[in-house]
Amino acid sequence: MAKLSARRIALLLLLAAALPAHAGDPALIVSVPALGVRGEGLSGVVSYILIQLDRVPSQDGPTVQFSEINFGGGSRVGDEWKESMRRAAQAVAHTVGDEGRTWLITIKSRSRTSITDGGSASAAMAVGLMAAYYGDSILQDVAISAQIMTDGRLDVVGGLPEKIEAAAAERYRVIILPRDQARMPTWNATTEAASRNQVQLILASTLRDAYQAMTGKSR
């Protein structure tokens, strides 16, 4: 597995304290960056989604629950965000060929904003959950912004120039985007922001494509 930075280790230790422990096999915990914007016309922000995967044989999952305990920053999430996380769990189950009946997934968002909403972090969550499933690590300098469909396809998002600025400030050098993003009217502004900030853009069509780019593993 790739070596974790001191920042990632501190984040995992802090947020793991906010997640409940469950019976069953040992939990797997993954932290994955999620790109967002603070609001319309405002700056971008990098949040971190902490994903804990437990396997509980007695349940009929996949079950997704959310930890919104406030630890040193905004952690509340909106209904659209929650629904997109449930969709991401379905996409992972479809992609890995596992019904996920024993999955108990606990998710916490660590953000500088008071509340996080929308669906553009759903592909990040899916990659993180898939990494927890396989026991893989997320590469340190790679982020993603995309919505995910239940069949694993990636869909377009907005606010990319602002997201790229925020990601570059946090030293992310590669950003994965949906392949169809290149057809959007804002694509020129997106590529200009990437060039200005020396960020490489990778276009991906599916969760499997995004997973390989974010972990270096082909699954």
Side-chain angles (χ1 to χ4, degrees):
M1 291 188 181
K3 185 177 179 181
L4 291 175
S5 67
R7 179 184 66 181
R8 295 285 180 88
I9 292 171
L11 179 67
L12 286 170
L13 291 174
L14 174 65
L15 296 185
L19 298 180
H22 305 284
D25 294 336
L28 295 170
I29 300 175
V30 171
S31 173
V32 61
L35 307 182
V37 291
R38 298 176 187 272
E40 187 175 353
L42 299 178
S43 61
V45 62
V46 180
S47 302
Y48 293 88
I49 304 174
L50 191 74
I51 303 155
Q52 177 174 313
L53 174 61
D54 295 271
R55 290 179 172 85
V56 183
S58 61
Q59 72 165 15
D60 187 14
T63 300
V64 182
Q65 61 185 9
F66 302 91
S67 172
E68 295 185 83
I69 301 171
N70 192 333
F71 269 73
S75 58
R76 293 173 53 231
V77 292
D79 291 340
E80 185 180 354
W81 195 92
K82 290 179 180 180
E83 183 56 36
S84 75
M85 296 300 112
R86 296 186 182 99
R87 187 171 66 245
Q90 293 174 347
V92 174
H94 173 84
T95 299
V96 303
D98 186 330
E99 292 183 343
R101 292 187 180 277
T102 65
W103 296 1
L104 178 58
I105 306 158
T106 307
I107 302 174
K108 182 173 179 63
S109 173
R110 178 71 163 83
S111 176
R112 296 186 181 93
T113 59
S114 59
I115 185 168
T116 301
D117 210 349
S120 66
S122 56
M125 184 276 184
V127 170
L129 177 58
M130 198 165 160
Y133 180 87
Y134 284 120
D136 292 334
S137 297
I138 306 296
L139 299 175
Q140 291 187 36
D141 63 347
V142 182
I144 184 171
S145 186
Q147 298 188 78
I148 194 158
M149 304 294 102
T150 55
D151 63 0
R153 288 178 296 115
L154 302 184
D155 201 4
V156 298
V157 295
L160 285 173
E162 293 82 8
K163 291 175 181 178
I164 290 169
E165 294 277 354
E170 294 284 334
R171 298 187 179 181
Y172 289 97
R173 294 301 170 213
V174 178
I175 298 177
I176 298 135
L177 301 176
R179 187 167 299 280
D180 286 345
Q181 201 76 48
R183 301 177 182 178
M184 300 299 287
T186 56
W187 182 242
N188 285 343
T190 298
T191 56
E192 288 169 5
S195 177
R196 184 168 61 251
N197 289 279
Q198 298 182 325
V199 168
Q200 178 187 2
L201 302 179
I202 295 178
L203 298 179
S205 299
T206 66
L207 174 56
R208 287 191 187 277
D209 297 337
Y211 189 83
Q212 182 169 5
M214 290 195 74
T215 66
K217 302 290 181 64
S218 178
R219 296 290 190 180

